[in-house]
Short mmCIF file of all heavy atoms in Angstrom, two decimals:
data_model
loop_
_atom_site.label_atom_id
_atom_site.label_comp_id
_atom_site.label_asym_id
_atom_site.label_seq_id
_atom_site.Cartn_x
_atom_site.Cartn_y
_atom_site.Cartn_z
N GLN C 1 83.25 -22.42 -49.71
CA GLN C 1 84.23 -23.43 -49.34
C GLN C 1 85.43 -23.40 -50.29
O GLN C 1 86.59 -23.52 -49.86
CB GLN C 1 83.58 -24.81 -49.36
CG GLN C 1 84.51 -25.95 -48.95
CD GLN C 1 84.99 -25.82 -47.52
OE1 GLN C 1 84.20 -25.84 -46.58
NE2 GLN C 1 86.30 -25.69 -47.32
N ALA C 2 85.16 -23.19 -51.58
CA ALA C 2 86.23 -23.12 -52.57
C ALA C 2 87.11 -21.89 -52.32
O ALA C 2 88.33 -21.95 -52.46
CB ALA C 2 85.66 -23.09 -53.98
N VAL C 3 86.48 -20.77 -51.97
CA VAL C 3 87.24 -19.55 -51.66
C VAL C 3 88.10 -19.77 -50.42
O VAL C 3 89.27 -19.36 -50.38
CB VAL C 3 86.28 -18.36 -51.44
CG1 VAL C 3 87.04 -17.15 -50.89
CG2 VAL C 3 85.60 -17.99 -52.75
N MET C 4 87.53 -20.43 -49.40
CA MET C 4 88.28 -20.71 -48.18
C MET C 4 89.49 -21.59 -48.48
O MET C 4 90.59 -21.36 -47.97
CB MET C 4 87.37 -21.39 -47.17
CG MET C 4 88.04 -21.67 -45.83
SD MET C 4 86.88 -22.36 -44.64
CE MET C 4 88.00 -22.69 -43.27
N ASP C 5 89.29 -22.60 -49.34
CA ASP C 5 90.41 -23.47 -49.72
C ASP C 5 91.51 -22.67 -50.41
O ASP C 5 92.71 -22.90 -50.19
CB ASP C 5 89.91 -24.58 -50.65
CG ASP C 5 89.03 -25.60 -49.92
OD1 ASP C 5 89.08 -25.64 -48.67
OD2 ASP C 5 88.28 -26.32 -50.60
N LYS C 6 91.09 -21.72 -51.26
CA LYS C 6 92.08 -20.92 -51.98
C LYS C 6 92.82 -19.98 -51.03
O LYS C 6 94.05 -19.83 -51.13
CB LYS C 6 91.37 -20.10 -53.07
CG LYS C 6 92.31 -19.34 -53.99
CD LYS C 6 93.22 -20.29 -54.75
CE LYS C 6 94.12 -19.58 -55.73
NZ LYS C 6 93.41 -19.11 -56.93
N LEU C 7 92.10 -19.36 -50.10
CA LEU C 7 92.71 -18.41 -49.18
C LEU C 7 93.68 -19.07 -48.22
O LEU C 7 94.57 -18.42 -47.67
CB LEU C 7 91.63 -17.67 -48.38
CG LEU C 7 90.80 -16.64 -49.15
CD1 LEU C 7 89.68 -16.10 -48.27
CD2 LEU C 7 91.68 -15.49 -49.63
N THR C 8 93.51 -20.36 -47.99
CA THR C 8 94.37 -21.06 -47.04
C THR C 8 95.44 -21.91 -47.74
O THR C 8 96.13 -22.69 -47.09
CB THR C 8 93.54 -21.96 -46.11
OG1 THR C 8 92.74 -22.86 -46.91
CG2 THR C 8 92.62 -21.13 -45.24
N SER C 9 95.58 -21.75 -49.06
CA SER C 9 96.60 -22.50 -49.79
C SER C 9 97.92 -21.74 -49.77
O SER C 9 97.95 -20.51 -49.69
CB SER C 9 96.15 -22.73 -51.24
OG SER C 9 96.10 -21.49 -51.94
N PRO C 10 99.06 -22.46 -49.85
CA PRO C 10 100.37 -21.80 -49.85
C PRO C 10 100.54 -20.82 -51.02
O PRO C 10 101.24 -19.82 -50.90
CB PRO C 10 101.35 -22.97 -49.98
CG PRO C 10 100.61 -24.16 -49.45
CD PRO C 10 99.17 -23.93 -49.83
N ALA C 11 99.85 -21.09 -52.14
CA ALA C 11 100.00 -20.25 -53.33
C ALA C 11 99.46 -18.85 -53.12
O ALA C 11 99.76 -17.94 -53.90
CB ALA C 11 99.30 -20.91 -54.52
N ILE C 12 98.69 -18.65 -52.06
CA ILE C 12 98.05 -17.35 -51.86
C ILE C 12 99.01 -16.36 -51.18
O ILE C 12 98.78 -15.13 -51.23
CB ILE C 12 96.78 -17.51 -50.99
CG1 ILE C 12 95.76 -16.39 -51.32
CG2 ILE C 12 97.10 -17.46 -49.51
CD1 ILE C 12 95.17 -16.50 -52.68
N ILE C 13 100.08 -16.84 -50.58
CA ILE C 13 100.97 -15.97 -49.79
C ILE C 13 101.48 -14.77 -50.60
O ILE C 13 101.41 -13.64 -50.13
CB ILE C 13 102.14 -16.78 -49.21
CG1 ILE C 13 101.59 -17.78 -48.17
CG2 ILE C 13 103.15 -15.85 -48.55
CD1 ILE C 13 102.65 -18.70 -47.59
N PRO C 14 101.99 -14.96 -51.83
CA PRO C 14 102.47 -13.78 -52.58
C PRO C 14 101.35 -12.79 -52.93
O PRO C 14 101.62 -11.63 -53.23
CB PRO C 14 103.06 -14.41 -53.86
CG PRO C 14 103.30 -15.84 -53.53
CD PRO C 14 102.23 -16.21 -52.57
N ARG C 15 100.12 -13.23 -52.90
CA ARG C 15 99.01 -12.38 -53.28
C ARG C 15 98.40 -11.60 -52.11
O ARG C 15 97.52 -10.77 -52.31
CB ARG C 15 97.90 -13.22 -53.93
CG ARG C 15 98.27 -13.85 -55.25
CD ARG C 15 97.09 -14.66 -55.80
NE ARG C 15 97.38 -15.20 -57.12
CZ ARG C 15 97.11 -14.58 -58.26
NH1 ARG C 15 96.55 -13.38 -58.23
NH2 ARG C 15 97.39 -15.13 -59.41
N ILE C 16 98.83 -11.88 -50.89
CA ILE C 16 98.19 -11.30 -49.71
C ILE C 16 98.12 -9.77 -49.75
O ILE C 16 97.06 -9.19 -49.51
CB ILE C 16 98.88 -11.80 -48.42
CG1 ILE C 16 98.54 -13.28 -48.20
CG2 ILE C 16 98.43 -10.97 -47.21
CD1 ILE C 16 99.21 -13.90 -47.00
N PRO C 17 99.22 -9.06 -50.07
CA PRO C 17 99.12 -7.59 -50.12
C PRO C 17 98.06 -7.10 -51.11
O PRO C 17 97.29 -6.18 -50.81
CB PRO C 17 100.52 -7.16 -50.54
CG PRO C 17 101.41 -8.28 -50.09
CD PRO C 17 100.61 -9.52 -50.31
N ALA C 18 98.04 -7.71 -52.31
CA ALA C 18 97.07 -7.30 -53.32
C ALA C 18 95.65 -7.63 -52.89
O ALA C 18 94.71 -6.86 -53.14
CB ALA C 18 97.38 -7.99 -54.65
N ILE C 19 95.48 -8.77 -52.22
CA ILE C 19 94.15 -9.18 -51.76
C ILE C 19 93.61 -8.20 -50.73
O ILE C 19 92.48 -7.72 -50.82
CB ILE C 19 94.19 -10.61 -51.18
CG1 ILE C 19 94.49 -11.62 -52.29
CG2 ILE C 19 92.86 -10.95 -50.50
CD1 ILE C 19 94.76 -13.01 -51.78
N VAL C 20 94.44 -7.90 -49.73
CA VAL C 20 94.01 -6.97 -48.67
C VAL C 20 93.68 -5.61 -49.26
O VAL C 20 92.67 -4.99 -48.92
CB VAL C 20 95.09 -6.86 -47.58
CG1 VAL C 20 94.72 -5.78 -46.57
CG2 VAL C 20 95.27 -8.19 -46.87
N LYS C 21 94.52 -5.15 -50.19
CA LYS C 21 94.28 -3.85 -50.83
C LYS C 21 92.96 -3.85 -51.60
O LYS C 21 92.17 -2.90 -51.52
CB LYS C 21 95.44 -3.54 -51.79
CG LYS C 21 95.27 -2.21 -52.52
CD LYS C 21 96.45 -1.96 -53.47
CE LYS C 21 96.26 -0.65 -54.23
NZ LYS C 21 97.38 -0.41 -55.18
N GLU C 22 92.68 -4.94 -52.33
CA GLU C 22 91.46 -5.02 -53.12
C GLU C 22 90.23 -5.13 -52.23
O GLU C 22 89.19 -4.51 -52.50
CB GLU C 22 91.51 -6.24 -54.05
CG GLU C 22 90.47 -6.21 -55.15
CD GLU C 22 90.63 -5.03 -56.08
OE1 GLU C 22 91.63 -4.96 -56.80
OE2 GLU C 22 89.73 -4.15 -56.05
N VAL C 23 90.35 -5.90 -51.16
CA VAL C 23 89.22 -6.06 -50.23
C VAL C 23 88.88 -4.72 -49.60
O VAL C 23 87.71 -4.32 -49.54
CB VAL C 23 89.54 -7.11 -49.15
CG1 VAL C 23 88.51 -7.05 -48.02
CG2 VAL C 23 89.57 -8.50 -49.75
N ILE C 24 89.90 -4.01 -49.12
CA ILE C 24 89.67 -2.73 -48.45
C ILE C 24 89.01 -1.72 -49.39
O ILE C 24 88.12 -0.97 -49.00
CB ILE C 24 91.00 -2.15 -47.92
CG1 ILE C 24 91.53 -3.04 -46.79
CG2 ILE C 24 90.80 -0.73 -47.41
CD1 ILE C 24 90.61 -3.17 -45.61
#
């Protein structure tokens, strides 16, 4: 639930490319 809250917060937008790259 905490991860979901973080992923849906506005602060996560600049991190999206890095997140997708790390997940993949």
Side-chain angles (χ1 to χ4, degrees):
Q1 181 63 61
V3 171
M4 182 175 176
D5 290 342
K6 186 62 177 286
L7 288 174
T8 55
S9 67
I12 208 68
I13 294 176
R15 294 180 175 270
I16 289 178
I19 293 171
V20 173
K21 179 181 178 181
E22 195 62 67
V23 168
I24 293 300

